[in-house]
Amino acid sequence: MENIKAIYQSNFKENVYPFYTHLRANDPIFAMSQEPNHTTWVITKHEHVKEMLKSKSFIKDQRKLFSNNQSHEKQDNGEINIFQNMMLDVDPPDHTRLRKLVQPYFNPKTIKELKPRIIEIADELLDQASEKQGPVDLIDEFAFPLPIIVISELLGIPSEDRNKFRKWSNTIVAASDEFEPDFMEDVQAFTNYLTDLFERRRKSPENDFISSLLQAEEDGEQLNRDELYSMVVLLIIAGHETTVNLIANTMYALFEHPDQLEKLKTDTKLTATAIEEGLRYYSPVDFTTARWSEDDMEFHGKTIKRGDLVLASLASANRDEEKFEAPDTFDITRKPNPHVAFGYGIHFCLGAPLARLEGEIALRKLMERFPNISMVENQTSSPWRPVFLLRGLEGLKVTIV
């Protein structure tokens, strides 16, 4: 519907939560757009979202439904497709195989071993930020570099190349709304970079994740070429983009609620529950990526046709008054907190333990190092990036002295 598109292009991110409240009460399975042979649905209630994400009737691989893979038409003009067979967009058994391949790198035990290094990186970044004169952008100086350094070191990406991924990932994430003019140029640059990096690692393997993936590819059945590229692209983007939002959004919510910020300063042991509340209150991922109905079906009173696109609003589910007491209240002591910010079912976010750890360390270090940290007022009339799938800030200027 054109009116929905217009809302997104104006101030939808600022006013979305009352809209979700209205949908949950009046039209929880919402037909966001309707074409002659296709409807896009948005699911907004917590229990419905969980049911949809767990259901085998909603599939990720649209090639099972459409002979012409239209959503990738603009990308399929090169020999290597970095989006082909991405773990995020396939169903079992391919999803099971790919997830099993990377799971050892993201299990809680492995992630816990990264804690000393993450603390070290956080301290180094805050040392650098403290040397700057005047207000600093917390995203540029801290929330962005922290997770990109961590995932780069895990993958084995040279330190001098990390900042290249910010532009590339921003372009790719923005393409969830519409293709930017430089989309293909950035995709090609990303592909060329990975091709060169893979060649270097094949010649000289190191003790990193990319070297392990290359070995899996050479072993034959576990990983093919396009899956290799897609896996690394997914881990780079998902491994930092959403964590940037988690850290910055949670700090923004704390600044909006001074009583909660003061509570956290007084007791930094609350960082774990503060991060969970940040995940719920300003969910870093607003919508799940696309799923399609494999057959005609009835879903809570709505007829969903084969091939209809279905999205779950994690942001809406996390403010559902039927699941959360005072859902629009930001409470860093909230327990229990059964949010679905990391999704649900077999596609539950693989990087959740890492994101949680990075978020907790980030908040604790900020409170310890800069107990008088405050947000610069009137930074912008529209703080949120106009990206459909994600909720992230354009910037976050703070005073740290």
Side-chain angles (χ1 to χ4, degrees), residues 105-384:
Y105 282 82
F106 292 93
N107 66 55
K109 181 178 181 296
T110 302
I111 295 304
K112 187 176 180 180
E113 293 172 355
L114 297 176
K115 184 175 180 178
R117 177 56 183 151
I118 298 173
I119 292 173
E120 185 179 20
I121 294 167
D123 282 332
E124 291 172 357
L125 291 171
L126 294 178
D127 285 344
Q128 295 169 16
S130 65
E131 295 173 0
K132 295 186 177 293
Q133 300 296 318
V136 299
D137 190 319
L138 193 65
I139 294 176
D140 287 343
E141 302 298 332
F142 188 60
F144 168 76
L146 176 63
I148 195 63
I149 291 172
V150 172
I151 197 64
S152 294
E153 290 187 354
L154 188 62
L155 289 169
I157 294 168
S159 58
E160 63 270 18
D161 295 333
R162 292 166 188 157
N163 280 332
K164 296 177 183 178
F165 299 115
R166 186 171 199 178
K167 181 176 186 297
W168 294 339
S169 65
N170 282 344
T171 300
I172 292 168
V173 167
S176 63
D177 298 335
E178 57 183 341
F179 286 94
E180 298 293 333
D182 57 351
F183 176 80
M184 286 310 304
E185 182 179 332
D186 281 352
V187 167
Q188 191 59 55
F190 208 159
T191 304
N192 292 342
Y193 175 85
L194 292 179
T195 299
D196 292 341
L197 180 61
F198 293 162
E199 185 60 29
R200 296 200 302 272
R201 287 294 183 271
R202 284 191 178 97
K203 292 179 179 178
S204 301
E206 297 186 8
N207 185 27
D208 57 48
F209 190 33
I210 284 178
S211 297
S212 296
L213 286 176
L214 289 168
Q215 183 59 53
E217 181 198 31
E218 291 175 2
D219 288 345
E221 293 299 319
Q222 293 187 356
L223 197 70
N224 64 41
R225 186 204 61 187
D226 282 342
E227 289 171 342
L228 169 66
Y229 280 82
S230 295
M231 182 69 76
V232 175
V233 169
L234 175 63
L235 292 176
I236 290 171
I237 295 176
H240 87 272
E241 186 81 29
T242 54
T243 307
V244 173
N245 293 349
L246 169 58
I247 295 169
N249 293 1
T250 303
M251 284 303 301
Y252 185 67
L254 287 164
F255 290 134
E256 288 184 312
H257 300 83
D259 61 319
Q260 299 298 302
L261 178 60
E262 195 59 36
K263 190 178 293 186
L264 185 60
K265 289 178 181 178
T266 303
D267 185 4
T268 56
K269 293 179 183 178
L270 292 173
T271 50
T273 52
I275 283 295
E276 295 305 311
E277 183 67 344
L279 285 161
R280 185 196 71 85
Y281 190 79
Y282 281 144
S283 304
V285 178
D286 199 342
F287 290 92
T288 58
T289 51
R291 286 166 172 78
W292 284 265
S293 178
E294 191 168 23
D295 297 293
D296 293 355
M297 64 180 297
E298 293 293 318
F299 191 79
H300 295 281
K302 295 295 179 76
T303 300
I304 299 179
K305 298 290 188 179
R306 172 180 165 84
D308 279 358
L309 190 154
V310 185
L311 302 170
S313 174
L314 302 178
S316 175
N318 287 338
R319 296 284 189 103
D320 190 340
E321 48 283 309
E322 293 183 5
K323 192 66 178 180
F324 300 94
E325 183 179 350
D328 293 324
T329 298
F330 181 71
D331 177 7
I332 66 170
T333 66
R334 185 183 295 272
K335 284 186 178 181
N337 195 341
H339 64 76
V340 287
F342 290 119
Y344 191 74
I346 65 170
H347 286 279
F348 181 85
C349 178
L350 186 70
L354 179 58
R356 283 183 161 117
L357 179 60
E358 290 174 332
E360 289 175 28
I361 290 172
L363 255 62
R364 185 177 293 109
K365 284 296 179 180
L366 283 168
M367 297 302 104
E368 290 175 352
R369 293 285 299 273
F370 306 118
N372 296 318
I373 189 171
S374 62
M375 183 173 68
V376 176
E377 297 297 330
N378 301 320
Q379 300 186 64
T380 173
S381 59
S382 179
W384 302 106

Side-chain angles (χ1 to χ4, degrees), residues 6-25:
I7 291 172
Y8 260 97
Q9 291 175 338
S10 57
N11 62 350
F12 183 74
K13 287 293 181 180
E14 280 74 22
N15 299 308
V16 65
Y17 291 106
F19 179 56
Y20 287 150
T21 300
H22 171 80
L23 287 183
R24 288 192 302 271

Side-chain angles (χ1 to χ4, degrees), residues 24-48:
R24 288 192 302 271
N26 299 284
D27 196 6
I29 315 297
F30 174 57
M32 186 174 76
S33 67
Q34 292 177 298
E35 306 295 336
N37 299 309
H38 171 82
T39 300
T40 297
W41 302 91
V42 174
I43 299 177
T44 57
K45 295 185 73 169
H46 190 278
E47 290 305 315
H48 294 174

Side-chain angles (χ1 to χ4, degrees), residues 86-105:
M86 189 172 281
M87 183 172 62
L88 195 63
D89 297 323
V90 296
D91 303 303
D94 285 333
H95 175 267
T96 307
R97 171 176 56 85
L98 292 171
R99 191 172 178 107
K100 183 177 180 181
L101 182 65
V102 297
Q103 182 69 53
Y105 282 82

